[in-house]
Amino acid sequence: MSNTTSQENPVRTPRLEERGFVPALINAFIKLAPQHIIKNPVMAVVWLGTLVTAVATLAGWAQPGFGWAVTVILLITVLFGNFAEAVAESRGRGQAASLRRARKDLMARRLDKAGGEKTVPAAELRPGDLVVIEEGQLVPADGEIVEGLATINEAAVTGESAPVLREAGTDRSGVIGGTKVLSDRIVVRVTAEPGNSFLDRMIALVEGSNRQKTPNEVALGLLLGVMTLTFLIVVVTLPFIGGFVGVEVNVVLLVALLVCLIPTTIGGLLPAIGIAGMNRALQANVLAKSGKAVEVAGDVDVLLLDKTGTITYGDRQATAFHPMAAVDVAQLRQAALLASLADPTPEGKSIVKLAREMGEKLADPDGAHFVQFTAQTRMSGVDLPGDRVIRKGAMDAIVKHVKLLDGHVPAELEARVTSVARKGATPLVVSDGRHVLGVIELSDVVKHGIKERFARLRAMGIKTVMITGDNKLTAASIAADAGVDDYIAEAKPEDKLARIRAEQSGGRLVAMVGDGTNDAPALAQADVGLAMNSGTQAAKEAGNMVDLDSDPAKLLAVVEIGKQQLITRGALTTFSLANDVSKYFAILPALFAASIPQMAALNVMNLSSPTSAVLSALIFNAIIIPLLIPLALRGVRFKPSTSTQLLRSNMLIYGVGGVLLPFIAIKVIDVLISTLFSF
């Protein structure tokens, strides 16, 4: 999984004990209300069965001890099913609470048409309004910067304490209500209606109140509903069938049979699995606008990935030193290191790192005066005692600097600079006084481990396509280093949209990332569109996921989260249906063995008595739900493999295991019941 999530992430999933056991338990009882329980047909039938057994026991249709025992076990079964959903929702409420702290009673400095300012509550702002925000003030509403630039603290939303730069007219112009401006002055055009801001939608989603069921979840729910209705009809007709053969079936035993026939385990866990899928995405600092987006991510066939920032670091890194013919490479490294010791840019830091990795151990020299880079000089460096002047920068700037000192520029310099540039790298020239020492090669380096990530995706049958504006030779070189399956060189925004449509026309699901307004059409067209939080409002509206960390490589983690959700639901469904088989062998002999002796052959577990068999099966049926809650919330461990391998693994582990475990557990419970009680 991606490890880009901040250490201080405010949407970290709390442990249950942190949120409190009692609120989740109270919520489980609240969900017994008809308007809640009806949303889960399987649990609704169990709840109805609980009421029927209670009435039957009160009416004297069953032995009081046995009848009340069945009633209590059924009630506990329903509560455990509700509790699973309540636990998942409690996580969302914990996450939402931290988000609400960012949404205070904000005030805004709204501009009128004449350019004047008026302070109004943020709730009065409407799309199109212009507001002024200065250093130390909170952004009152979602919007786009139309004037100025500023550093902004987005920790309230992303958990990342490092400030980010937002600037008008760029792909990083979007701002979120509740974040804080740390410097400068900006004018923002409001883009969200009150109550429909980014934070409002985020809070609703993580609480589960706005969660729509995914297509697979709806299909599975329909299947469970049909199975429940079918078994209900079968059980209701049993007394009439028994009447023809002289068998009287007790109503409490009928309810017990029904509960063991219907898929109560997956019925109780299904809502929790869906909520947990969105929570796992949020743990990775990805806001999914719907559960469908998370699930579809698990089914994608093609990933479209921008080169810069996703496959490569996006900032140039020093990769080599090229000295002039008469210069020792150590002399070039020392000068480059000295010129970069006070350089705060990623390029400068990478030069220091490379030089030290190659053996240079110079520290900050005494009496040094560091010269910062400026757009005018296009070079930086250091002035040392003894009138020693070291500079690094663009070739023309260094050549001009050396000539001003009456120095000599080697004829080979231009050829060396051209050679580095042809590789798609950036050349920086280094001089020491009147002498040109050589060239530093800056390359946009392929991210460490990205090739292995692509190999994992390939093992899942997912094709990766790199998109870059580089020329074909550079694109081919980077694609080979990164291990992508295909690439689009010299790409324009419309090329992304065309490729997505081409893949979709072949029946494939496509995912992509983007952050600019020009990415919006492609994000909207893609089956999974991951928009960067730092991007424009148009991109965030077009995508169905937003990465709060603005890390394009997060798309790889999103795919794995989606796969994990699909696998978890499939595994637990397999287990639920499999362990129903074992419960049949416990309940059926108990129902009919007394009247039909031949049915005793089905008592393969050799249970002590019909009453004990029924209670043992029901107790197992109840306790297996809370035992599986941690697995439903955490998700089944994901390993990259094909669909066939996943199916085989599910059948072996959760299918065979789902059949064997109940045989063992029900027998153990039967021994305990027969020892402790006299049913």
Side-chain angles (χ1 to χ4, degrees):
M1 302 296 291
S2 174
N3 57 3
T4 56
T5 306
S6 170
Q7 298 281 337
E8 302 175 19
N9 186 358
V11 292
R12 174 184 63 85
T13 301
R15 295 190 300 272
L16 179 60
E17 58 268 26
E18 292 177 354
R19 292 297 309 142
F21 176 87
V22 175
L25 186 59
I26 292 173
N27 218 6
F29 278 94
I30 293 173
K31 289 179 179 293
L32 292 174
Q35 65 270 27
H36 292 294
I37 200 70
I38 197 65
K39 295 177 183 178
N40 191 333
V42 177
M43 287 295 107
V45 169
V46 179
W47 178 222
L48 181 61
T50 305
L51 300 178
V52 170
T53 57
V55 171
T57 305
L58 288 171
W61 300 342
Q63 295 180 3
F66 176 67
W68 288 119
V70 171
T71 301
V72 171
I73 294 171
L74 294 185
L75 176 60
I76 291 173
T77 303
V78 180
L79 290 175
F80 279 158
N82 291 347
F83 184 70
E85 185 175 3
V87 169
E89 290 177 349
S90 71
R91 290 182 166 193
R93 278 190 288 273
Q95 294 160 349
S98 64
L99 293 172
R100 281 197 178 92
R101 288 194 288 269
R103 192 185 61 177
K104 303 174 182 178
D105 295 328
L106 300 176
M107 301 297 290
R109 296 164 56 191
R110 185 171 61 190
L111 294 177
D112 56 30
K113 293 182 179 179
E117 292 184 14
K118 181 180 180 181
T119 301
V120 298
E124 294 184 11
L125 296 176
R126 295 293 182 272
D129 286 348
L130 296 178
V131 294
V132 176
I133 312 161
E134 294 186 343
E135 179 180 344
Q137 297 178 341
L138 296 176
V139 178
D142 295 358
E144 296 271 0
I145 300 177
V146 295
E147 180 183 319
L149 77 164
T151 52
I152 297 178
N153 182 355
E154 295 185 342
V157 177
T158 67
E160 178 56 60
S161 57
V164 295
L165 182 67
R166 297 288 179 262
E167 183 176 3
T170 69
D171 286 343
R172 294 178 174 267
S173 60
V175 292
I176 300 172
T179 56
K180 187 175 184 178
V181 174
L182 300 181
S183 69
D184 302 284
R185 174 186 184 273
I186 53 176
V187 177
V188 173
R189 179 184 291 113
V190 176
T191 59
E193 293 279 359
N196 194 36
S197 69
F198 186 84
L199 277 180
D200 288 320
R201 285 177 290 167
M202 191 170 179
I203 290 168
L205 284 166
V206 300
E207 284 184 323
S209 59
N210 203 26
R211 189 185 79 88
Q212 295 182 342
K213 293 183 178 180
T214 67
N216 283 347
E217 190 177 351
V218 171
L220 181 57
L222 183 61
L223 173 63
L224 298 182
V226 170
M227 291 178 64
T228 301
L229 180 61
T230 302
F231 287 128
L232 181 61
I233 294 172
V234 169
V235 169
V236 168
T237 57
L238 277 178
F240 300 100
I241 297 173
F244 286 105
V245 294
V247 176
E248 184 178 345
V249 183
N250 185 277
V251 65
V252 174
L253 286 176
L254 280 177
V255 173
L257 173 63
L258 175 62
V259 170
C260 288
L261 284 174
I262 63 178
T264 50
T265 304
I266 187 60
L269 294 173
L270 189 59
I273 295 170
I275 296 171
M278 294 186 68
N279 284 340
R280 280 195 292 274
L282 200 56
Q283 287 175 49
N285 249 12
V286 174
L287 172 63
K289 295 183 180 179
S290 69
K292 179 181 178 181
V294 178
E295 188 169 279
V296 171
D299 280 331
V300 297
D301 304 295
V302 181
L303 292 184
L304 266 59
L305 303 158
D306 276 327
K307 181 204 77 173
T308 304
T310 306
I311 296 172
T312 62
Y313 282 101
D315 55 353
R316 297 169 299 177
Q317 304 282 306
T319 53
F321 296 104
H322 302 284
M324 296 293 101
V327 177
D328 183 71
V329 67
Q331 183 182 358
L332 172 60
R333 287 200 305 262
Q334 289 176 3
L337 174 63
L338 288 168
S340 306
L341 284 173
D343 188 345
T345 65
E347 292 90 343
K349 292 178 180 178
S350 72
I351 293 171
V352 173
K353 180 181 177 182
L354 181 62
R356 295 201 186 283
E357 287 177 350
M358 298 178 75
E360 298 301 328
K361 299 180 180 179
L362 292 175
D364 290 357
D366 295 332
H369 171 68
F370 292 97
V371 179
Q372 300 296 325
F373 175 87
T374 67
Q376 290 73 31
T377 62
R378 299 176 62 215
M379 60 182 180
S380 61
V382 61
D383 295 337
L384 300 174
D387 296 328
R388 187 181 177 189
V389 178
I390 300 175
R391 294 290 184 271
K392 74 174 193 296
M395 185 185 77
D396 55 346
I398 296 298
V399 167
K400 182 179 180 181
H401 167 74
V402 169
K403 287 183 176 179
L404 286 174
L405 298 176
D406 295 326
H408 171 68
V409 178
E412 64 176 303
L413 177 62
E414 185 172 353
R416 186 61 57 85
V417 168
T418 302
S419 174
V420 171
R422 281 178 176 170
K423 291 191 283 184
T426 301
L428 286 183
V429 179
V430 180
S431 68
D432 188 346
R434 296 184 299 167
H435 304 286
V436 175
L437 301 182
V439 177
I440 305 170
E441 181 177 331
L442 298 177
S443 302
D444 197 357
V445 182
V446 172
K447 288 184 175 181
H448 177 70
I450 200 74
K451 193 167 187 175
E452 289 74 17
R453 295 293 294 276
F454 289 147
R456 285 167 59 90
L457 293 170
R458 193 174 297 109
M460 291 184 262
I462 298 173
K463 179 181 179 181
T464 52
V465 181
M466 182 185 77
I467 303 172
T468 178
D470 291 337
N471 61 62
K472 293 181 179 180
L473 291 176
T474 302
S477 175
I478 294 175
D481 290 342
V484 295
D485 299 308
D486 197 4
Y487 64 89
I488 305 174
E490 300 173 348
K492 300 181 288 295
E494 54 268 26
D495 294 332
K496 300 179 185 180
L497 185 59
R499 181 59 180 260
I500 292 172
R501 287 174 174 168
E503 295 287 356
Q504 289 173 332
S505 65
R508 290 175 287 274
L509 297 178
V510 183
M512 75 157 287
V513 297
D515 59 2
T517 300
N518 58 7
D519 290 326
L523 286 169
Q525 181 69 36
D527 299 286
V528 177
L530 180 64
M532 300 295 99
N533 183 42
S534 62
T536 62
Q537 196 68 25
K540 287 187 280 190
E541 291 294 337
N544 50 20
M545 289 186 176
V546 177
D547 176 23
L548 303 179
D549 292 326
S550 299
D551 174 16
K554 190 71 68 64
L555 183 59
L556 307 179
V558 168
V559 170
E560 295 189 352
I561 291 169
K563 288 281 185 187
Q564 188 181 33
Q565 177 168 338
L566 291 173
I567 294 168
T568 300
R569 185 182 294 126
L572 293 181
T573 300
T574 302
F575 180 85
S576 175
L577 297 179
N579 68 39
D580 286 343
V581 175
S582 305
K583 289 180 286 186
Y584 303 159
F585 282 95
I587 291 289
L588 290 176
L591 265 174
F592 300 107
S595 303
I596 308 176
Q598 293 84 349
M599 292 289 290
L602 294 177
N603 188 15
V604 295
M605 286 184 271
N606 194 28
L607 301 177
S608 57
S609 70
T611 301
S612 176
V614 171
L615 293 178
S616 299
L618 290 178
I619 290 172
F620 172 80
N621 191 61
I623 64 175
I624 197 64
I625 295 176
L627 291 178
L628 290 175
I629 289 176
L631 183 61
L633 299 180
R634 184 182 67 249
V636 174
R637 185 178 178 184
F638 171 71
K639 292 182 180 179
S641 54
T642 64
S643 299
T644 303
Q645 291 171 328
L646 288 174
L647 178 61
R648 187 184 302 118
S649 175
N650 269 353
M651 293 304 296
L652 286 174
I653 298 174
Y654 297 97
V656 176
V659 171
L660 296 179
L661 177 63
F663 274 100
I664 300 170
I666 290 174
K667 179 60 180 177
V668 171
I669 296 171
D670 172 70
V671 171
L672 292 174
I673 289 177
S674 60
T675 302
L676 298 174
F677 304 100
S678 57
F679 283 121

